[in-house]
Amino acid sequence: MINIKIISLISVVIYFCSFEAVAKIKGTALELLPSGHLIVDVVIKGETAKFIVDTGASSSVIDKKLVKKLSLTPLSNEASIQGYVPGEHVLEMLKYRLNEVDLGGLVKSEIVFVEQDLSPMFQGLSQYEIQGIIGQEILAKFGLLLDVSKAKLYLPNEQLLKGYTATHIQTTAIGLSFIEIEINQIKLNMFIDSGATEVMIDKEMAIKHNVGEISYDNQMEGVGENGNIRKIGLIEHSIIMIAGRSIDSLLLVDDFSGLLSQVNPVALQGEISGLIGVSALAKLSAIIDVKNQRLYIN
């Protein structure tokens, strides 16, 4: 009888310990758009806005319309910073320091945003306006974990990562994460970009490394900061290997020359050739840990 009581007590202790470990995993569900973009609710001065979670953005961005609506005042001692988007020249962007910004109910903190007109780039993605971007510096600051396939954002928790294989990722001088992959047996460094959808390579890099023949018959287009439309190329029948795993993904071709000209001279190891978007990352069941420079794959 004593033995039975002891076993029962042990079972209860194990049960509660397991429950406690699961309960400590705190996260928030993200909205998954048909395009593959991940959306988080951000509350600024009582206004709830839709922001894209973008590991390919070095800074967090607030749309010009929201700045005007909230009557925000830019930092006077830091007039502007430079930014880059595909197909565009250097952009000058004002900075704003905002207090008690609520990020998906996970954290409430001061966040510095840069101002940009996002409407041309995100037009048509959803039935509502995309009013900002949560960049990698916020993910790194709070150690947030982005689960791409489950469309969730978590506070740091080792329990969540059990069963995953960790792959080391590197970081450029401006804080953008990248990883070495293989495209058609050619090793290339690519940004890990949750703000993009597919695997994309810079046109000049595709030609330089002879990755494959570029076709522009697919009628795909990109829209820049000023609403300028540009053709997006395609390299068909590409074999893409990420962290030792082959994935079925489109390989698109775009102009990243503005960004790469700034990044590649100061890259830690080798040059950057393009980016890996959420479609490919979801196929790997990837969790992105910007702070600890890890890509977890299940």
Side-chain angles (χ1 to χ4, degrees), residues 5-297:
K5 287 183 178 180
I6 292 174
I7 292 172
S8 299
L9 181 60
I10 291 173
S11 298
V12 170
V13 171
I14 292 173
Y15 172 80
F16 278 109
C17 287
S18 300
F19 178 80
E20 183 181 2
V22 173
K24 285 182 179 179
I25 300 177
K26 184 178 180 181
T28 186
L30 306 174
E31 181 181 353
L32 177 63
L33 298 183
S35 62
H37 291 93
L38 299 170
I39 303 296
V40 63
D41 284 338
V42 177
V43 181
I44 302 173
K45 298 181 68 173
E47 181 80 15
T48 300
K50 304 291 185 179
F51 279 49
I52 284 179
V53 181
D54 187 358
T55 59
S58 57
S59 300
S60 292
V61 180
I62 187 168
D63 185 59
K64 285 186 175 181
K65 290 182 181 178
L66 186 56
V67 168
K68 184 177 180 180
K69 182 178 182 179
L70 298 177
S71 301
L72 303 179
T73 304
L75 294 175
S76 57
N77 59 337
E78 298 178 75
S80 65
I81 65 169
Q82 291 183 337
Y84 307 85
V85 291
E88 298 288 336
H89 298 293
V90 176
L91 304 174
E92 295 292 332
M93 300 182 289
L94 296 174
K95 298 176 70 173
Y96 297 81
R97 179 176 285 110
L98 305 179
N99 297 319
E100 296 188 346
V101 177
D102 187 307
L103 177 57
L106 290 179
V107 295
K108 183 178 288 187
S109 178
E110 176 186 274
I111 295 180
V112 175
F113 292 96
V114 297
E115 180 185 11
Q116 190 176 339
D117 183 8
L118 298 176
S119 54
M121 291 182 287
F122 296 140
Q123 187 174 7
L125 283 186
S126 68
Q127 60 186 0
Y128 47 76
E129 286 187 310
I130 305 299
Q131 296 179 295
I133 295 171
I134 295 299
Q136 59 79 33
E137 91 287 8
I138 297 301
L139 302 178
K141 178 180 178 180
F142 300 105
L144 299 178
L145 304 174
L146 177 60
D147 190 325
V148 178
S149 61
K150 293 180 181 178
K152 287 190 175 181
L153 194 63
Y154 295 98
L155 291 176
N157 194 298
E158 294 183 3
Q159 182 77 16
L160 176 69
L161 303 173
K162 286 188 175 180
Y164 283 78
T165 300
T167 299
H168 179 67
I169 57 180
Q170 300 181 69
T171 306
T172 66
I174 60 174
L176 294 177
S177 301
F178 67 94
I179 189 173
E180 183 183 81
I181 72 171
E182 287 188 18
I183 301 178
N184 299 334
Q185 299 184 327
I186 300 169
K187 293 183 178 181
L188 300 168
N189 289 322
M190 309 284 274
F191 286 126
I192 299 172
D193 190 351
S194 64
T197 54
E198 306 292 342
V199 179
M200 305 184 74
I201 187 169
D202 176 66
K203 180 181 178 179
E204 292 182 7
M205 291 296 177
I207 295 171
K208 175 181 177 179
H209 296 288
N210 194 25
V211 175
E213 184 177 351
I214 304 173
S215 169
Y216 288 93
D217 299 330
N218 50 74
Q219 298 183 342
M220 286 187 286
E221 297 177 331
V223 182
E225 160 77 5
N226 298 319
N228 300 327
I229 297 176
R230 64 190 185 281
K231 290 288 186 180
I232 302 294
L234 173 68
I235 299 177
E236 299 186 85
H237 311 300
S238 296
I239 300 173
I240 301 172
M241 298 283 294
I242 301 177
R245 287 176 53 181
S246 176
I247 63 166
D248 178 21
S249 175
L250 293 174
L251 178 58
L252 304 182
V253 182
D254 201 356
D255 176 16
F256 299 109
S257 57
L259 173 61
L260 298 185
S261 65
Q262 301 298 315
V263 173
N264 282 333
V266 292
L268 298 182
Q269 292 184 12
E271 62 188 5
I272 311 297
S273 297
L275 56 86
I276 308 166
V278 287
S279 176
L281 293 168
K283 291 172 183 176
L284 296 170
S285 298
I287 294 179
I288 305 170
D289 182 354
V290 176
K291 181 177 182 179
N292 296 304
Q293 299 182 328
R294 295 288 185 273
L295 180 69
Y296 293 92
I297 297 173

